[in-house]
Amino acid sequence: MSDNKLVIFDTTMRDGEQSPGASMSKDEKIRIGKTLERLGVDVMEAGFAIASKGDFEAVHAVASVVKESTVCSLARANFKDIEAAAQALEPAPRKRIHTFIATSPIHMQYKLKMQPDQVVEQAVAAVKHARKFTDDVEFSAEDAGRSDPDFLCRVFEAVIAAGAGTINIPDTVGYALPNEFGGLIADIIARTPNSDQAVFSVHCHNDLGLAVANSLAAVQCGARQVECTVNGLGERAGNASLEEIVMAMRVRHDLMELETGIDTTQIVPASRLVSSITGFPVQPNKAIVGANAFAHEAGIHQDGVLKHRETYEIMSAEDVGWSANRMVLGKHSGRAAFKSRLEELGIMPAEDNAFADAFVRFKALADKKHDIFDEDLVALMTGDNSDAGEVMFKLTDLEVSSKLGVSPTASVGLSVMGEETHIQAEGDGPVDATFKAIEKIAQSGCETSLYNVNAITSGTESQGEVTVRLERAGRIVNGVGADTDIVVASARAYLHALNQMMKPQVRQHPQSSNP
Ligand code: KIV
Ligand code: ZN
């Protein structure tokens, strides 16, 4: 690795997937994996292979399609986890096993119920075992931010000697402050005798809103890998956001003379894809990828930007993928143009019949909407639409009536496991009436805990993208749906969430139990 390289390790599909309701199907992970590869991430953590059969298959599927980036699976520091990771990663041309164990006094005493000596022994055994399957092994000291630095140096020296090539120092609970965290990294690198034989990495959580600041402080103190996620998705308040790290490295190259291999023009498409798949909307004022990130409201700013862009802008919208690729499709676009755009966006379905279905939906959309932008295509390929064929509930009909002063009614047709049912319901609004009608049929007992509508593009003919979050017995799922008619989009989003809720989900949380 060259001296001025900063390794970008994306964990959208693992830590990002730990956000409540953000679970991703195998096909969705394939799409995200291809997008991350186009973005140019060095390593992508595709999941936690031992967590469930579905997780194993998703890691295996990503490992089968991604050729350029290294594909990684998380594994606790035990042989069973490591073997599952190795098996899932088998098809990948470049593979990494990422094994971890907690090192803070509080985790060792209460969660692991292990003595520090046992933790060192277990970490070394795990790394040695992982090295039997690949030369590329990463070791993480979970809750390093609250661990004793002397103990960290001892663990790291031992695991580097056992064959770990990357040493990750997570601030698991998002507790650190930038100066303190940078100091910890510098101290550990200086005091671990064999630190020159490994790449030091950081993995910061955003509980105090400091994940990016802490990661950059660590880079300035010697870290050469940053773990991050698209849109800052991740456990609780999320992880350091990939787009913010990458753009800070680029814009402040004067202070941080390191290179990432990221093609920044792919940042916005990646952000949109992850947002539509997970149903986590991007807040308008989010740095880099928020809708307002390059919008100037104040007249004095607009005037300045028109005269000389750099008066108020430190980077250009095009550099991060806004309005690049603005090739517009429409009613007259044929199969070939549609196919080539899907391929360029990395959202081309693998099966011919899925492509044929998508083309029918594209034509239907083009009848209602004059210009079809990339954002419309991403929405067309995600959410309820992409599940066609394999789901319990499908929308077959929807009619709503809404009149000033009268309660709206919705008449909904659903195919339930292939059987057609129609029902009517009243509600406080057309969307509420539609959800009530669906519930009368489904009887799911789910609570709707989030309902959100976003315009995908500008103008009143824009598709509305709706996110619905359902909760039942502690389980949370998100659904997304898009249509030029927001009641239809809402019904699709509700059904998308409901269909996910119906799938059995038995999976382990990586950080919840003993090795
Ligand atoms: O936050 C954390 O400590 C993690 C580890 C498993 C790397 O996600
Ligand atoms: Zn984490």
Side-chain angles (χ1 to χ4, degrees):
M1 193 177 86
S2 74
D3 281 352
N4 67 345
K5 166 90 179 162
L6 180 66
V7 175
I8 297 295
F9 176 115
D10 177 276
T11 181
T12 308
M13 292 187 280
R14 198 278 297 170
D15 216 319
E17 200 192 21
Q18 287 174 218
S19 308
S23 74
M24 300 157 193
S25 69
K26 182 175 85 178
D27 289 346
E28 289 166 342
K29 282 200 175 179
I30 292 176
R31 262 185 277 156
I32 293 178
K34 286 183 180 167
T35 298
L36 292 175
E37 184 169 43
R38 217 174 11 262
L39 186 62
V41 305
D42 300 287
V43 186
M44 63 179 83
E45 191 163 50
F48 176 47
I50 194 84
S52 70
K53 188 166 168 278
D55 287 67
F56 179 94
E57 284 168 359
V59 175
H60 191 268
V62 174
S64 308
V65 297
V66 170
K67 304 284 173 239
E68 297 297 325
S69 311
T70 297
V71 182
C72 171
S73 171
L74 187 67
R76 288 167 301 187
N78 69 62
F79 287 9
K80 229 170 119 220
D81 278 34
I82 289 167
E83 282 156 22
Q87 227 182 317
L89 292 171
E90 219 267 311
R94 298 162 211 257
K95 45 180 147 283
R96 173 178 296 187
I97 296 177
H98 175 192
T99 187
F100 77 100
I101 192 164
T103 50
S104 62
I106 189 170
H107 276 237
M108 289 192 289
Q109 183 180 349
Y110 295 105
K111 186 178 90 167
L112 299 179
K113 299 184 178 29
M114 285 169 78
Q115 294 302 316
D117 286 353
Q118 292 175 295
V119 168
V120 179
E121 204 181 303
Q122 184 111 22
V124 167
V127 169
K128 284 191 176 156
H129 196 58
R131 278 297 301 262
K132 293 182 186 150
F133 305 100
T134 170
D135 289 344
D136 189 348
V137 173
E138 171 169 335
F139 172 79
S140 281
E142 190 191 5
D143 204 17
R146 292 188 299 171
S147 301
D148 171 11
D150 289 347
F151 183 56
L152 287 176
C153 293
R154 182 180 157 206
V155 177
F156 293 156
E157 183 183 2
V159 294
I160 293 170
T166 303
I167 297 297
N168 186 37
I169 306 178
D171 179 19
T172 301
V173 292
Y175 177 71
L177 299 182
N179 281 348
E180 175 194 28
F181 195 62
L184 175 71
I185 305 306
D187 180 48
I188 286 173
I189 295 176
R191 293 199 298 118
T192 302
N194 48 3
S195 63
D196 58 326
Q197 291 164 38
V199 172
F200 278 76
S201 163
V202 288
H203 173 113
C204 297
H205 279 272
N206 207 27
D207 300 66
L208 294 173
L210 292 170
V212 170
N214 287 339
S215 305
L216 294 176
V219 168
Q220 290 179 300
C221 291
R224 288 295 175 266
Q225 172 176 289
V226 172
E227 302 198 354
C228 46
T229 57
V230 173
N231 299 338
L233 209 63
E235 183 81 37
R236 305 181 311 279
N239 288 68
S241 118
L242 179 148
E243 57 278 6
E244 293 174 24
I245 299 280
V246 167
M247 291 315 289
M249 294 305 301
R250 179 163 160 166
V251 171
R252 297 314 309 271
H253 198 259
D254 55 330
L255 293 182
M256 298 175 288
E257 290 178 12
L258 298 173
E259 309 297 335
T260 72
I262 298 294
D263 173 356
T264 61
T265 63
Q266 298 300 320
I267 285 178
V268 168
S271 161
R272 280 231 43 103
L273 181 71
V274 169
S275 169
S276 347
I277 284 178
T278 56
F280 278 53
V282 175
Q283 76 197 54
N285 59 331
K286 165 83 178 63
I288 322 291
V289 292
N292 288 354
F294 294 89
H296 297 277
E297 172 71 16
I300 193 164
H301 287 206
Q302 290 174 349
D303 184 51
V305 169
L306 289 174
K307 286 182 176 139
H308 187 75
R309 189 180 63 75
E310 272 126 54
T311 50
Y312 284 102
E313 280 187 7
I314 55 168
M315 57 197 150
S316 82
E318 289 74 20
D319 283 352
V320 298
W322 284 107
S323 66
N325 300 329
R326 272 274 169 218
M327 194 181 105
V328 179
L329 299 183
K331 210 178 158 112
H332 301 295
S333 308
R335 220 169 254 276
F338 178 61
K339 180 165 181 257
S340 115
R341 199 70 204 119
L342 292 189
E343 279 167 353
E344 279 160 24
L345 291 169
I347 51 177
M348 175 71 186
E351 296 84 28
D352 289 349
N353 55 350
F355 172 73
D357 281 353
F359 189 64
V360 171
R361 292 199 303 277
F362 164 72
K363 282 291 183 190
L365 179 63
D367 276 340
K368 294 188 268 179
K369 189 171 187 289
H370 189 259
D371 293 329
I372 311 278
F373 296 101
D374 292 349
E375 291 88 336
D376 292 311
L377 295 180
V378 170
L380 194 79
M381 302 307 293
T382 44
D384 179 51
N385 297 323
S386 61
D387 279 340
E390 307 161 4
V391 296
M392 186 171 217
F393 300 107
K394 271 190 209 169
L395 187 69
T396 53
D397 195 15
L398 175 60
E399 199 180 321
V400 284
S401 88
S402 153
K403 188 170 186 295
L404 204 63
V406 179
S407 286
T409 54
S411 166
V412 171
L414 286 190
S415 148
V416 184
M417 309 275 275
E419 205 168 301
E420 198 71 29
T421 322
H422 256 91
I423 211 148
Q424 271 206 353
E426 265 187 21
D428 289 336
V431 171
D432 187 49
T434 303
F435 288 3
K436 286 196 168 120
I438 294 175
E439 263 311 305
K440 269 190 176 174
I441 299 174
Q443 307 271 335
S444 75
C446 291
E447 292 286 324
T448 306
S449 58
L450 179 132
Y451 173 75
N452 182 71
V453 191
N454 259 330
I456 291 182
T457 51
S458 57
T460 51
E461 67 156 27
S462 164
Q463 289 198 84
E465 184 176 59
V466 175
T467 304
V468 168
R469 176 178 290 183
L470 298 181
E471 296 196 27
R472 188 175 65 183
R475 184 158 165 218
I476 300 175
V477 293
N478 280 340
V480 277
D483 200 278
T484 47
D485 179 331
I486 62 160
V487 184
V488 174
S490 303
R492 288 194 195 290
Y494 194 93
L495 291 171
H496 184 219
L498 203 55
N499 282 322
Q500 298 202 63
M501 188 62 97
M502 294 304 148
K503 293 183 194 154
Q505 198 200 35
V506 187
R507 67 197 293 249
Q508 298 192 56
H509 188 288
Q511 284 151 282
S512 64
S513 52
N514 294 343

